[in-house]
Amino acid sequence: MRTDVFDGTLRLTNDGKLELFFLGTGSAFVKKNYQNNLLVIKGDTSLLIDCGTRCPEAFVKYNSSVANVKTLLITHSHADHIGGVEEIALTHRYMLRNRADIVITDIYKKKLWNESLKGGLAYGERHETPYNKHTEDKFLTFDDYFNQITPTLLSINPRPIFQVQLGTLDVKMFATMHQPEQAESWKDSAWSTGVLLDDRVLFTGDTRFDPDLLNWITGTFEIETIFHDCQPFPGGVHANLAQLETLSPDIKKKMYICHYGDNFTNDKIDGMGFAGLAQPGIYYCYD
């Protein structure tokens, strides 16, 4: 893996090699950094993984716009991961007159719409007929804003893993253990997923410390790089630094820390064996 610095134009296509570009690498409440939202580019395919409250602003910083987002994948429903999705939906419907693609299962599609997006998106228009005049059916739905790309369930063991092919980009999604804090495993956790790209790059998304997940994926796939969610303090619904430090040297040397606060710097992880901190505004390139 090599890195390229942003050169003034955010590229959404390339020569066919896998590239990752972090629009931000910060936690939910960052003010200086942007949130941990990731753009994946390969050939003519670009995929935005999560679009938080500050993601549209981050696109402007990099001389682009969420209007350029053609395909979206949401890992879970916290605001730093979905807060900008409404802007994408409205921009595409009313400015571009089209629909963005979204990689989403049927179960999460229902949850995302009913529990998060419906209040801001459903009621701007009515499709009223004599037959639905007094029903909810007259309002807009998820499918008025997005084209659903439904991933295939590959396996339920040792945990659910879904797969979709976007051009030449292979995307796998797997269940993570994020919230609530009291959940004992991914089985009793709310919906959240991590992402595996081309079977070589692991983006955990938000997760508590879950060594079973890391051992399973690194033991099954030839993982070159891990971008792992982290917080500096114990408790809550994220893996913390002291926990990640206990991982094997072979795993840590591939691991970049992301989802960190404004005041979290490289010196916080010096000597721990990690690859470093994931950096916004950098292309991570895989030949």
Side-chain angles (χ1 to χ4, degrees), residues 13 86-88 133-134 147 153 191 198 221 226 229 277:
T13 61
E86 183 174 313
E87 183 168 337
I88 290 180
K133 190 172 183 179
H134 301 293
N147 297 312
L153 179 62
W191 176 273
D198 280 352
F221 303 97
I226 300 168
D229 167 41
L277 296 184

Side-chain angles (χ1 to χ4, degrees), residues 220-268:
T220 304
F221 303 97
E222 295 293 329
I223 301 299
E224 299 173 36
T225 311
I226 300 168
F227 294 98
H228 202 295
D229 167 41
C230 181
Q231 66 183 24
F233 50 86
V237 293
H238 299 273
N240 67 63
L241 190 57
Q243 291 171 325
L244 294 179
E245 191 181 7
T246 68
L247 294 168
S248 72
D250 285 344
I251 289 179
K252 288 194 294 183
K253 71 182 181 182
K254 300 176 182 179
M255 184 176 288
Y256 289 84
I257 302 298
C258 54
H259 200 279
Y260 49 84
D262 283 330
N263 297 322
F264 197 83
T265 53
N266 266 301
D267 63 287
K268 306 284 188 183

Side-chain angles (χ1 to χ4, degrees), residues 86-120:
E86 183 174 313
E87 183 168 337
I88 290 180
L90 294 171
T91 297
H92 277 265
R93 182 169 179 83
Y94 296 109
M95 295 175 63
L96 302 178
R97 302 294 180 180
N98 62 21
R99 293 178 293 174
D101 294 334
I102 185 167
V103 178
I104 194 167
T105 65
D106 289 333
I107 292 174
Y108 186 46
K109 171 185 174 180
K110 184 176 181 180
K111 287 181 176 292
L112 181 63
W113 179 253
N114 288 333
E115 298 176 8
S116 298
L117 298 181
K118 183 177 179 179

